[in-house]
Amino acid sequence: MSARDAQIMHPAGAVLRLPPQTPQARCLAERRAVLEPAVGSAAWYALEPPATRAEAGAAVSAKTGADVHSLMVAPLAARGLVLGVVSLRRSERREPFEEDDLTLAQELAARAALSIDNARRYTQQQQAALSLQRSTDEGGRGLFLVAQFTERWGTRYTRDGKTVWTEQSLSGR
């Protein structure tokens, strides 16, 4: 992530306190997409990181009044878990968002949420596998000792895990 991206996005893991009247809070509370075809207040604006607010303010004044006038918010939900929301704003085109736009936004948000959840699950499984490997792997020390005290040895992999076999002559025979 570039330094600019870090300035215009909320930090990873940041917890945002959403005022209950915002479309984002309604979307989370109702677990459904929200369409605001005519945004009358700038409540959404207060939720933005400071660098984004400054950039948006400069862009608004440069466009002589062209501002966000339509808003859609869709939940990022996968497998019964709400991961966040996606907010889509319209400022360039004068037409407000419509129901068809909201349907598309919901589909995109659902696919994005599933991808995010898959990545989250994969990361958790990888971390669990590494943790298990660290807890059961003695770094080869056990096999070194086996090699020192036996005549022949080897490993075999079965569906139950790794098996180490050894051959050793019995003393006195």
Side-chain angles (χ1 to χ4, degrees):
M1 178 182 337
S2 71
R4 178 172 164 16
D5 290 342
Q7 292 175 345
I8 63 170
M9 295 190 319
H10 294 287
V15 176
L16 302 179
R17 304 286 180 225
L18 301 171
Q21 71 276 12
T22 61
Q24 291 84 356
R26 288 196 342 259
C27 175
L28 287 172
E30 299 169 9
R31 290 186 174 218
R32 66 170 185 82
V34 173
L35 173 62
E36 296 281 336
V39 178
S41 72
W44 64 270
Y45 189 71
L47 299 174
E48 297 299 314
T52 304
R53 286 196 305 262
E55 189 174 285
V60 167
S61 61
K63 293 178 193 170
T64 62
D67 196 0
V68 171
H69 58 84
S70 189
L71 173 69
M72 293 186 298
V73 183
L76 287 169
R79 299 179 182 101
L81 181 67
V82 178
L83 304 168
V85 297
V86 173
S87 298
L88 303 165
R89 302 164 186 100
R90 180 168 276 172
S91 62
E92 296 290 323
R93 294 175 57 188
R94 293 301 344 156
E95 305 88 33
F97 286 125
E98 298 173 342
E99 287 296 326
D100 288 345
D101 298 317
L102 187 64
T103 301
L104 178 61
Q106 287 174 304
E107 182 63 29
L108 291 173
R111 290 178 185 219
L114 192 57
S115 295
I116 292 167
D117 192 49
N118 285 342
R120 186 183 62 83
R121 285 176 168 220
Y122 177 80
T123 300
Q124 287 174 341
Q125 289 175 350
Q126 286 297 103
Q127 289 173 343
L130 286 173
S131 177
L132 180 62
Q133 183 180 9
R134 282 189 212 107
S135 69
T136 58
D137 183 21
E138 75 288 339
R141 292 182 301 276
L143 292 180
F144 176 76
L145 291 174
V146 167
Q148 296 297 311
F149 295 110
T150 62
E151 293 176 9
R152 271 184 64 201
W153 67 276
T155 59
R156 182 177 306 120
Y157 291 91
T158 66
R159 67 174 181 265
D160 296 325
K162 181 166 77 171
T163 302
V164 177
W165 60 268
T166 65
E167 287 183 9
Q168 188 171 351
S169 63
L170 297 173
S171 61
R173 290 194 178 197

